[in-house]
């Protein structure tokens, strides 16, 4: 069968961990709260995650337009083969892309 697979990717906030401390300000006598960012990672999403937007209300119209366009472009393609390609991408490629986004200097400003 014919494979039709779109490879759109985007970066979104991932796991964020914060801690805070509360101390008395010696000058004002008031409380001072300090927030410490312990961890901030980015996550990479792809086509399969985009298709999940079809289930939510936000973005539903644009997601449906893109889905219709992809259906037209991929008419006659093997859906089982597409799902296999997505699963392979998710398990082998996506973790490497996400690791790169979370460790490479060129993405530092996003983190």
């Amino acid at each position: 069968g014919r494979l039709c697979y779109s490879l759109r990717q985007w970066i979104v906030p991932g796991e964020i961990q914060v801690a805070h401390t509360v101390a008395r300000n010696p000058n004002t006598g008031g409380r001072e709260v300090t927030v410490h960012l312990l961890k901030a990672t980015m996550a990479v999403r792809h086509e399969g995650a985009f298709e999940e937007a079809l289930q939510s209300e936000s973005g539903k119209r644009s997601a449906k337009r893109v889905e219709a366009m992809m259906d037209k472009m991929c008419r006659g393609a093997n859906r089982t083969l597409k799902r296999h390609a997505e699963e392979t991408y998710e398990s082998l490629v996506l973790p490497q892309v996400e690791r790169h986004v979370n460790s490479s200097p060129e993405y530092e400003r996003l983190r």
Side-chain angles (χ1 to χ4, degrees):
R2 184 170 79 92
L3 172 64
C4 183
Y5 181 63
S6 173
L7 187 59
R8 288 178 284 192
Q9 300 176 96
W10 61 97
I11 301 170
V12 298
E15 181 181 358
I16 298 172
Q17 293 178 356
V18 294
H20 72 280
T21 57
V22 180
R24 186 178 151 285
N25 184 320
N27 297 325
T28 64
R31 291 176 12 154
E32 201 171 87
V33 177
T34 305
V35 177
H36 305 276
L37 182 60
L38 304 176
K39 180 179 183 179
T41 62
M42 304 305 291
V44 179
R45 300 290 182 249
H46 72 101
E47 183 71 22
F50 179 79
E51 290 175 355
E52 291 172 12
L54 291 172
Q55 307 304 315
S56 69
E57 285 303 314
S58 64
K60 200 170 198 173
R61 272 181 261 133
S62 64
K64 283 190 173 194
R65 280 195 303 269
V66 170
E67 187 70 15
M69 179 183 70
M70 290 303 297
D71 282 347
K72 185 176 181 181
M73 287 174 32
C74 294
R75 191 169 288 131
N78 184 323
R79 290 192 181 272
T80 303
L81 191 56
K82 178 185 179 202
R83 187 65 218 145
H84 177 70
E86 286 175 350
E87 289 170 357
T88 301
Y89 176 81
E90 287 172 7
S91 64
L92 297 178
V93 178
L94 194 60
Q96 297 296 324
V97 173
E98 198 163 284
R99 191 171 299 115
H100 181 75
V101 166
N102 282 300
S103 62
S104 295
E106 63 261 32
Y107 294 101
E108 190 171 356
R109 290 182 55 185
L110 288 176
R111 299 191 293 268

